[in-house]
């Protein structure tokens, strides 16, 4: 134990299916391509960590990984480990380097556990505190820091969006009141790109833009459509999130001076541009999927969770593993997503990136516009057997959607009608996926607000932009965050049971509600009679309704029990295998071995006697 603790601290054996603890090719490329030395200073209050075992364990892993970086960087990474003891010069260094200490224990002693990186030109990157809650993102955070130091100039990304990304759902009014909280996606993007959010009055896309993001651009005028059109026609690169029904957009307040429109589906399909790109997104249609539906809490009865088939939770089998934007994506969370169809006669190369399962169908978005009904959607579900394209890459030369430049456009004489460079577009039929609720949650950890990803939505966006802007070193690395794996067999059993019993449960619930209503009417009539006796028929009816209500409740309990019956049976079989079958198998093998050895011993004795 002593020798292994001293000599083999950095040795690991990664037995996970997705190689979650093995350094990715992206990290190896970043370290190999370093063209100048990088100094990493790890500030770790080791002398104070004895009362924080979780942090101490995490610190060991951080140090082991940083030592691997040093070994693989061929002398271009230098590591310093500093213990900033209280009231020491090292504590002053930690503060001046921009680290944030946190009070530890009842004593309130300030604890430091952060990383500072510097290159030869005095550029600096800081991780203020290495949160144990981000342990599964450790390689990502470390390599991002090294990459930022090796490539200080970030690609320029312009964003056109109806969402108030810089201010949060409350918009500029909330910002004026000091209540703004920018969309989490902005913080994720600004780590890797020089981001410029285009104002509502923009008339052109900056010429130095490396990649364009069009996110639910619902209210574009002719000049703004023309600006996007010309950027693409000239061979521009873009990620376009065009949504036939945006739930996030529907929840936002209307623009100043405009009344709410209850009939507005908040569509941002951009049909004028998509037609020239050789594709279409059907108007007012969304895809629901039984196999990759998201579990939601409806808070009714004993069964609290149910599949909401309008929110999709894609997995490995739904992603194109041959495209760098989705090759390593583990899970995407999509809300009321449309689908992409190739237009007849299209000359663009259309490559699907994200697909539904075959257990999917197309419905009108109006069915979920005002009052989502998860049970009703499942009861009326009929699989089409078709895989719908939810996101696709479009490549090829694009012609303009305009015959001439609008009069109000900047530099109308520069109008290009036919492109001569191939455009590269990643088109997604959903915009809600970049709203906070679909991919991240903010948690408080050791006094800090931390964005905790719950799906790979931001990773998909950053991967796509990295690829479009010409850099992909971090793609394989960034996609390794989520390591959860679903219980596929149990999920299939549960889904089959719900499909089988849900319609019956809804029928019984409606019958129970009708019976209770009739019973309440008769009992109310009895109360209004002023003490007069009810007729025999009315008394018999009350007794009958009470019996029916009791019987229906019994049937409901039986149906709800049936929802878990197959899963409970599977659990019982597994328990029997683990508790009884495996020991029994070991016992049988032991007997066989004993008999075999006994026979060999007898045979050996006979040979000696002969």
């Amino acid at each position: 134990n002593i020798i292994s603790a001293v000599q083999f601290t950095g040795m690991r054996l990664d037995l996970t299916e997705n190689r979650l603890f093995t350094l990715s090719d992206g990290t190896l490329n970043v370290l190999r391509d370093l063209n100048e030395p990088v100094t990493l200073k790890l500030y770790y209050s080791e002398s104070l960590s004895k009362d924080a075992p979780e942090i101490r364990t995490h610190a060991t892993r951080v140090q082991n990984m940083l030592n691997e970086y040093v070994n693989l960087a061929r002398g271009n990474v230098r590591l310093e480990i500093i213990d900033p003891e209280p009231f020491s010069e090292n504590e002053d260094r930690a503060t001046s380097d921009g680290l944030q200490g946190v009070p530890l224990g009842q004593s309130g002693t300030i604890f430091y556990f952060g990383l500072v990186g510097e290159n030869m030109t005095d550029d600096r990157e800081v991780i203020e505190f290495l949160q144990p809650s981000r342990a599964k993102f450790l390689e990502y955070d470390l390599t991002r820091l090294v990459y930022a130091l090796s490539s200080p100039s970030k690609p320029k990304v312009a964003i056109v969006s109806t969402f108030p990304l810089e201010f949060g759902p409350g918009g500029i009014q909330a910002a004026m009141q000091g209540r703004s909280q920018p969309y989490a996606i902005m913080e994720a993007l600004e780590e890797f790109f020089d981001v410029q959010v285009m104002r509502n009055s923009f008339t052109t896309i900056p010429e130095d833009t490396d990649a364009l993001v069009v996110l639910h651009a619902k209210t574009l005028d002719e000049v703004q459509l023309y600006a996007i059109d010309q950027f693409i026609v000239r061979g521009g690169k873009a990620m376009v999130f065009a949504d036939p029904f945006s739930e996030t957009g529907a929840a936002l307040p209307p623009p100043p001076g405009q009344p709410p429109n209850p009939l507005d589906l908040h569509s941002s399909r951009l049909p004028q541009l998509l037609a020239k790109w050789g594709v279409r997104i059907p108007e007012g249609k969304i895809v629901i999927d039984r196999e990759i539906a998201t579990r939601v809490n409806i808070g009714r009865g004993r069964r609290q969770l149910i599949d909401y088939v309008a929110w999709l939770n894609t997995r490995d089998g739904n992603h194109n593993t041959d495209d760098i934007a989705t090759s390593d994506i583990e899970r995407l969370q999509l809300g009321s997503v449309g689908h992409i169809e190739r237009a007849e006669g299209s000359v663009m190369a259309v490559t699907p990136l994200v697909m539904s399962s075959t257990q999917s169908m197309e419905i009108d978005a109006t069915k979920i516009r005002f009052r989502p009904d998860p049970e009703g959607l499942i009861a009326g579900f009929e699989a089409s057997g078709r895989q719908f394209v939810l996101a696709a890459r479009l490549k090829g030369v694009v012609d303009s959607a305009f015959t001439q430049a609008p009069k109000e456009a900047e530099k109308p004489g520069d109008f290009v009608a036919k492109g001569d460079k191939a455009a590269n577009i990643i088109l997604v039929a959903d915009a809600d996926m970049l709203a906070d609720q679909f991919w991240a949650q903010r948690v408080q950890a050791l006094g800090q607000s931390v964005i905790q990803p719950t799906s790979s939505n931001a990773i998909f966006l950053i991967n796509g932009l990295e690829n479009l802007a010409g850099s992909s070193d971090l793609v394989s690395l960034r996609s390794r965050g989520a390591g959860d794996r679903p219980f596929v067999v149990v999920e299939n059993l549960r889904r089959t049971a719900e499909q089988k019993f849900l319609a019956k449960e809804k029928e019984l619930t409606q019958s129970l509600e009708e019976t209770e209503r009739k019973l309440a009417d008769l009992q109310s009539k009895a109360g209004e009679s002023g003490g007069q006796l009810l007729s025999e028929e009315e008394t018999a009816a009350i007794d009958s309704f009470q019996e029916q209500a009791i019987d229906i409740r019994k049937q409901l309990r039986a149906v709800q029990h049936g929802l878990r019956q197959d899963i409970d049976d599977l659990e019982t079989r597994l328990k029997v295998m683990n508790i009884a079958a495996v020991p029994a198998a070991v016992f049988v093998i032991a007997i066989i071995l004993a008999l075999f050895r006994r026979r060999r011993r007898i045979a050996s004795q006979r040979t000696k006697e002969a």
Side-chain angles (χ1 to χ4, degrees):
N1 285 340
I2 294 174
I3 293 174
S4 65
V6 174
Q7 297 294 329
F8 307 129
T9 55
M11 295 188 66
R12 301 179 301 166
L13 180 61
D14 190 350
L15 300 178
T16 58
E17 181 181 20
N18 296 324
R19 311 292 290 170
L20 295 177
F21 302 103
T22 300
L23 291 183
S24 70
D25 292 339
T27 293
L28 300 179
N29 290 337
V30 169
L31 296 175
R32 185 184 63 241
D33 295 340
L34 284 174
N35 50 23
E36 63 174 301
V38 169
T39 299
L40 302 179
K41 294 185 288 185
L42 176 64
Y43 287 90
Y44 170 44
S45 302
E46 184 176 12
S47 57
L48 303 177
S49 65
K50 59 182 179 180
D51 296 326
E54 181 185 11
I55 293 179
R56 195 175 186 90
T57 301
H58 185 52
T60 300
R61 185 183 174 197
V62 170
Q63 292 180 60
N64 287 340
M65 187 167 286
L66 287 175
N67 285 326
E68 286 195 57
Y69 280 45
V70 172
N71 293 333
L72 294 170
R74 304 173 186 174
N76 279 327
V77 172
R78 178 172 171 265
L79 176 63
E80 297 179 21
I81 300 178
I82 304 168
D83 185 352
E85 296 180 345
F87 310 108
S88 66
E89 292 184 3
N90 285 336
E91 185 178 40
D92 294 337
R93 289 180 62 190
T95 304
S96 63
D97 276 342
L99 296 189
Q100 181 175 347
V102 299
L104 191 66
Q106 296 180 349
S107 64
T109 305
I110 301 302
F111 182 88
Y112 292 91
F113 184 31
L115 185 67
V116 178
E118 297 174 342
N119 60 16
M120 298 297 290
T121 56
D122 294 330
D123 293 311
R124 176 180 294 181
E125 292 290 326
V126 179
I127 300 177
E128 294 181 355
F129 199 91
L130 291 158
Q131 299 280 0
S133 61
R134 286 186 62 86
K136 62 182 179 181
F137 303 102
L138 177 60
E139 184 188 358
Y140 163 66
D141 290 337
L142 298 182
T143 304
R144 181 205 60 79
L145 183 144
V146 174
Y147 178 80
L149 293 171
S150 65
S151 305
S153 61
K154 299 178 180 179
K156 295 181 183 273
V157 171
I159 302 179
V160 176
S161 179
T162 306
F163 295 164
L165 299 174
E166 297 173 289
F167 308 111
I172 193 170
Q173 294 180 348
M176 293 173 63
Q177 299 171 4
R179 296 184 294 104
S180 66
Q181 176 142 323
Y183 280 63
I185 198 65
M186 286 296 292
E187 183 173 328
L189 284 174
E190 287 170 347
E191 287 187 9
F192 300 95
F193 306 103
D194 181 1
V195 180
Q196 179 179 358
V197 178
M198 309 300 294
R199 303 301 177 189
N200 294 335
S201 58
F202 82 92
T203 57
T204 186
I205 306 299
E207 293 183 359
D208 59 351
T209 299
D210 294 303
L212 174 67
V213 176
V214 181
L215 174 60
H216 191 57
K218 177 177 175 287
T219 56
L220 299 178
D221 59 29
E222 185 181 32
V223 173
Q224 293 168 335
L225 279 172
Y226 172 76
I228 295 173
D229 170 87
Q230 289 295 288
F231 179 82
I232 298 297
V233 169
R234 298 170 188 271
K237 301 174 177 65
M239 290 190 74
V240 179
F241 297 82
D243 202 327
F245 168 52
S246 170
E247 298 181 38
T248 304
L252 294 174
Q258 295 185 17
N261 182 0
L263 300 179
D264 188 357
L265 271 179
H266 296 272
S267 170
S268 56
R269 297 179 304 111
L270 302 174
Q272 184 179 0
L273 297 183
L274 264 58
K276 285 298 181 180
W277 300 349
V279 293
R280 61 185 290 267
I281 296 176
E283 181 179 3
K285 301 291 184 181
I286 65 171
V287 174
I288 62 176
D289 196 309
R290 192 72 179 89
E291 184 173 315
I292 55 175
T294 300
R295 300 286 282 173
V296 298
N297 189 343
I298 62 172
R300 203 195 74 186
R302 295 185 180 180
R303 181 174 45 78
Q304 298 294 312
L305 294 174
I306 189 173
D307 282 345
Y308 185 38
V309 293
W311 287 359
L312 309 188
N313 202 339
T314 66
R315 300 191 287 264
D316 289 344
N318 306 109
H319 307 148
N320 183 347
T321 57
D322 295 327
D323 192 287
I324 196 167
T326 49
S327 60
D328 294 316
I329 292 294
E330 293 186 3
R331 183 164 63 88
L332 295 177
Q333 179 75 57
L334 309 173
S336 57
V337 58
H339 66 97
I340 302 165
E341 295 179 343
R342 182 170 184 167
E344 186 175 349
S346 172
V347 296
M348 293 283 282
V350 180
T351 304
L353 298 181
V354 183
M355 305 276 288
S356 72
S357 75
T358 55
Q359 295 297 308
S360 59
M361 65 179 292
E362 180 188 70
I363 64 168
D364 289 332
T366 52
K367 290 187 176 181
I368 65 168
R369 172 64 180 90
F370 297 107
R371 187 179 179 184
D373 181 12
E375 293 173 306
L377 290 176
I378 292 178
F381 183 85
E382 293 183 6
S384 66
R386 170 186 174 187
Q387 280 191 288
F388 294 91
V389 178
L390 311 180
R393 185 187 291 271
L394 319 177
K395 297 183 73 173
V397 177
V398 175
D399 292 340
S400 175
F402 293 79
T403 56
Q404 61 182 6
K407 294 180 180 180
E408 300 83 1
E410 293 189 19
K411 300 180 181 179
D414 293 342
F415 170 64
V416 177
K418 292 184 175 294
D420 57 359
K421 296 180 181 179
N424 192 346
I425 306 166
I426 295 177
L427 176 63
V428 185
D430 182 42
D432 296 314
M433 66 178 295
L434 297 184
D436 291 6
Q437 65 168 324
F438 285 94
W439 77 272
Q441 59 183 357
R442 292 184 182 270
V443 297
Q444 294 295 323
L446 296 175
Q448 291 182 302
S449 177
V450 179
I451 295 176
Q452 188 70 47
T454 56
S455 66
S456 304
N457 294 11
I459 295 170
F460 170 66
L461 172 64
I462 296 170
N463 279 2
L465 291 175
E466 287 274 4
N467 173 242
L468 295 173
S471 174
S472 58
D473 282 338
L474 298 181
V475 168
S476 62
L477 164 70
R478 191 178 298 109
S479 305
R480 295 153 59 87
D484 58 318
R485 297 176 59 196
F487 292 100
V488 177
V489 174
V490 172
E491 285 296 303
N492 289 337
L493 288 173
R494 177 192 53 74
R495 193 176 297 113
T496 302
E498 280 190 351
Q499 187 75 20
K500 179 179 178 182
F501 292 110
L502 199 57
K504 181 63 176 176
E505 182 190 39
K506 191 170 185 178
E507 176 187 338
L508 288 172
T509 301
Q510 291 174 347
S511 178
L512 178 61
E513 291 173 353
E514 179 67 17
T515 300
E516 289 177 340
R517 185 186 63 78
K518 291 179 179 179
L519 180 59
D521 289 343
L522 285 174
Q523 290 174 335
S524 176
K525 182 179 178 181
E528 294 172 356
S529 64
Q532 297 179 9
L533 296 176
L534 298 175
S535 66
E536 292 184 3
E537 291 81 1
E538 291 172 331
T539 302
I542 289 177
D543 293 340
S544 175
F545 287 145
Q546 289 176 336
E547 292 176 0
Q548 287 182 32
I550 293 172
D551 182 61
I552 291 173
R553 289 192 184 97
K554 288 182 179 179
Q555 293 183 57
L556 266 175
R557 286 194 294 271
V559 168
Q560 291 170 347
H561 177 70
L563 284 170
R564 283 201 54 85
Q565 186 62 51
D566 289 342
I567 296 176
D568 290 340
D569 290 345
L570 175 62
E571 181 181 3
T572 300
R573 291 196 299 272
L574 290 175
K575 284 182 178 178
V576 170
M577 289 176 61
N578 286 325
I579 297 172
V582 173
V586 173
F587 182 68
V588 170
I589 293 172
I591 291 177
I592 294 173
L593 288 174
L595 293 174
F596 177 72
R597 289 174 179 172
R598 184 170 180 273
R599 292 184 60 184
R600 288 185 59 184
R601 187 168 60 252
I602 293 173
S604 176
Q605 290 176 352
R606 289 177 177 175
T607 302
K608 290 179 180 179
E609 292 174 356

